[in-house]
């Protein structure tokens, strides 16, 4: 007989999210990149010790790097490896994607904002977007539109109940 898989495993593949990204930036094009990680980083990611709230993607020497992400080392990590939680991590992109990103950053003034880190099969992937920073009045307009959508839904719901 085959063994049954345990049901206590979470179905979510998401490791970490950057929730402020959509509030602070106007996001346009989505990219997905693999990451070059060390063994102790994978162990820390599996235990959920990741923070990508203040990180961004930087282009250097025609390669993409993730800066500002924090992967805290485990206490049981190898003693012969120097664990730097804030090191720059290389992103693995196709040449065509890399050329598109470099062109948008250099010519059009876009920023590269990391929004999510997740598992895809057995690999860690980073989702990032091309984006431009929002001004305060843009943020207020977005909040106003969101609140109006909620109020409109309530009004329509009440109108349909009256019939």
């Amino acid at each position: 007989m085959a063994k049954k898989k345990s049901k206590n495993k979470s179905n979510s593949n998401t490791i970490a999210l950057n929730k402020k990204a959509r509030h602070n930036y106007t996001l346009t094009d989505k990219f997905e990149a693999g990451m070059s990680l060390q063994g102790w980083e994978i162990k820390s990611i599996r235990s959920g010790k990741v923070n990508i709230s203040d990180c961004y993607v930087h282009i250097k020497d025609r390669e993409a790097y993730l800066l500002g992400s924090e992967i805290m080392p485990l206490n049981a990590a190898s003693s012969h490896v120097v664990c730097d939680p804030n090191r720059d991590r290389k992103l693995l992109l196709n040449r065509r994607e890399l050329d598109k990103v470099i062109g948008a950053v250099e010519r059009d003034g876009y920023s590269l904002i990391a929004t999510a880190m997740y598992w895809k099969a057995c690999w860690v992937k980073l989702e990032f977007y091309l984006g431009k920073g929002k001004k305060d009045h843009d943020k207020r307009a977005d909040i106003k539109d969101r609140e109006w959508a909620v109020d409109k839904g309530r009004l329509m719901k009440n109108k349909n109940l009256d019939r």
Side-chain angles (χ1 to χ4, degrees):
M1 292 187 137
K3 292 184 180 179
K4 292 185 179 180
K5 293 183 180 180
S6 63
K7 296 287 183 180
N8 59 4
K9 188 176 179 182
S10 175
N11 289 338
S12 175
N13 292 332
T14 304
I15 298 167
L17 292 173
N18 184 357
K19 294 180 181 179
K20 288 187 176 183
R22 294 196 189 280
H23 179 70
N24 293 331
Y25 296 94
T26 302
L27 304 177
T28 55
D29 292 341
K30 176 182 170 182
F31 293 93
E32 178 185 67
M35 296 176 62
S36 177
L37 298 171
Q38 297 176 352
W40 68 268
E41 291 172 325
I42 294 293
K43 289 180 182 180
S44 296
I45 287 172
R46 287 191 192 281
S47 66
K49 296 183 178 258
V50 181
N51 182 9
I52 64 165
S53 62
D54 295 327
C55 72
Y56 59 96
V57 178
H58 178 70
I59 305 294
K60 182 174 132 186
D61 298 331
R62 297 190 55 81
E63 292 181 344
Y65 291 92
L66 180 65
L67 302 174
S69 65
E70 190 173 17
I71 300 176
M72 295 305 298
L74 295 173
N75 293 336
S78 300
S79 60
H80 66 281
V81 177
V82 177
C83 300
D84 182 15
N86 295 321
R87 77 174 185 92
D88 302 344
R89 292 162 180 92
K90 185 177 177 181
L91 298 180
L92 308 172
L93 290 165
N94 293 333
R95 179 57 57 192
R96 186 180 309 127
E97 291 175 330
L98 199 54
D99 290 340
K100 183 176 180 181
V101 166
I102 290 171
V105 168
E106 290 179 355
R107 278 181 271 143
D108 301 332
Y110 280 94
S111 299
L112 301 172
I113 299 97
T115 56
M117 187 183 293
Y118 55 91
W119 293 104
K120 189 171 187 181
C122 59
W123 296 290
V124 176
K125 298 287 186 173
L126 181 78
E127 175 184 280
F128 65 96
Y129 284 83
L130 288 174
K132 288 199 177 197
K134 287 185 185 177
K135 306 276 190 236
D136 286 337
H137 59 84
D138 293 334
K139 293 177 188 178
R140 286 193 293 268
D142 286 347
I143 292 170
K144 186 176 178 181
D145 291 342
R146 189 174 346 131
E147 289 176 353
W148 168 240
V150 170
D151 291 341
K152 186 169 52 172
R154 286 185 188 138
L155 289 173
M156 295 302 287
K157 181 179 178 182
N158 290 337
K159 185 176 181 179
N160 288 338
L161 291 176
D162 291 341
R163 288 184 179 182

